[in-house]
Amino acid sequence: MASIDTFVWILSGGLLMSAIALVGGVTVLLKPATLDRLLLPFVALAAGTLLGGAFFHMIPEGAAALPPLFASLWLALGFATFLGLEQFLQWHQSHRVAARVRQPFTYLILLGDGIHNFLGGLSIASTFLLNPAAGIVAWVAAAAHEVPQELGDFGILVHGGFNRRHALLWNLVSALTFPLGALLALGIAQQFDVSGLVLFGAGTFIYIAASDLVPEIKTAKRLSSAAVHFGFFVIGLGGMFLLAHALQ
């Protein structure tokens, strides 16, 4: 039975992690023209952090506990599921008439981020229950990952048709799945193996980054813009690798 202190640590840590989703609020200080110039670099940063999170964090963690064939199956299921979701959303949007239709990939970002945050809350809280010191380190590592990713996600939502207020609101809603996952971990006390779901989440991240985000940033007509986008992509990817290496 978990103590009250443990409950407070896990719940407060989960809510604080969710609050990171509001980091995009700093953009209200920017002029619209400045924000427009930053949107695609934010998208590039998100693509790098999504791929880095999948390849350097989620896949190694999930694959360690499963046979290689089944680990690959979970990864492919995540990729295929989001392909199917996007096809459905594309079909649904084609039957709507609107002045500014939100792009389907924005909903995939919110759904994927919600799944990712839920799994993150589940795994970090489980780590805390096993070893509080290790749980705190895992939380700090996840927070370092979330700041650039949430900035990138905010940029993606605005780029895809959300206004700033709605982008912040829905980003926060998707982030609230983190404390839900943390509380579930507290309730089941390490009885649930999330290895397959971690790999499923990695597959969704790879799909979103490769299918939706990379095409957005690779069409720059000026070499300087292309270099900036690639630079932000490498920063996101490299940052996730350095974080994973530091935690080994």
Side-chain angles (χ1 to χ4, degrees), residues 23 32 41 89 97 100 121 168 196 219:
V23 70
L89 288 170
V97 178
R100 190 182 186 191
L168 278 176
T219 57

Side-chain angles (χ1 to χ4, degrees), residues 35-185:
L35 179 60
D36 286 341
R37 287 197 301 270
L38 292 175
L39 282 180
L40 283 179
F42 280 172
V43 171
L45 183 68
T49 55
L50 282 173
L51 286 176
F55 286 127
F56 305 137
H57 294 263
M58 300 173 78
I59 292 176
E61 178 185 342
L66 292 173
L69 184 61
F70 285 97
S72 300
L73 176 62
W74 276 106
L75 196 64
L77 282 174
F79 191 99
T81 298
F82 267 40
L83 170 60
L85 278 173
E86 185 162 42
Q87 287 181 312
F88 171 77
L89 288 170
Q90 289 278 15
W91 171 84
H92 179 68
Q93 295 285 43
S94 70
H95 288 74
R96 294 181 59 189
V97 178
R100 190 182 186 191
V101 176
R102 292 170 179 171
Q103 295 299 312
F105 65 75
T106 58
Y107 299 104
L108 293 183
I109 279 289
L110 290 171
L111 180 59
D113 210 25
I115 293 171
H116 168 66
N117 287 324
F118 179 80
L119 294 174
L122 192 62
S123 60
I124 290 172
S126 298
T127 304
F128 186 88
L129 289 169
L130 188 64
N131 183 337
I136 292 172
V137 170
W139 187 95
V140 171
H145 163 254
E146 285 298 314
V147 171
Q149 183 174 310
E150 293 298 347
L151 275 172
D153 287 351
F154 177 80
I156 292 165
L157 294 178
V158 174
H159 181 68
F162 283 72
N163 62 43
R164 296 191 204 186
R165 184 168 62 87
H166 286 160
L168 278 176
L169 174 63
W170 284 107
N171 225 20
L172 177 61
V173 169
S174 73
L176 288 174
T177 58
F178 189 97
L180 287 178
L183 291 175
L184 177 61

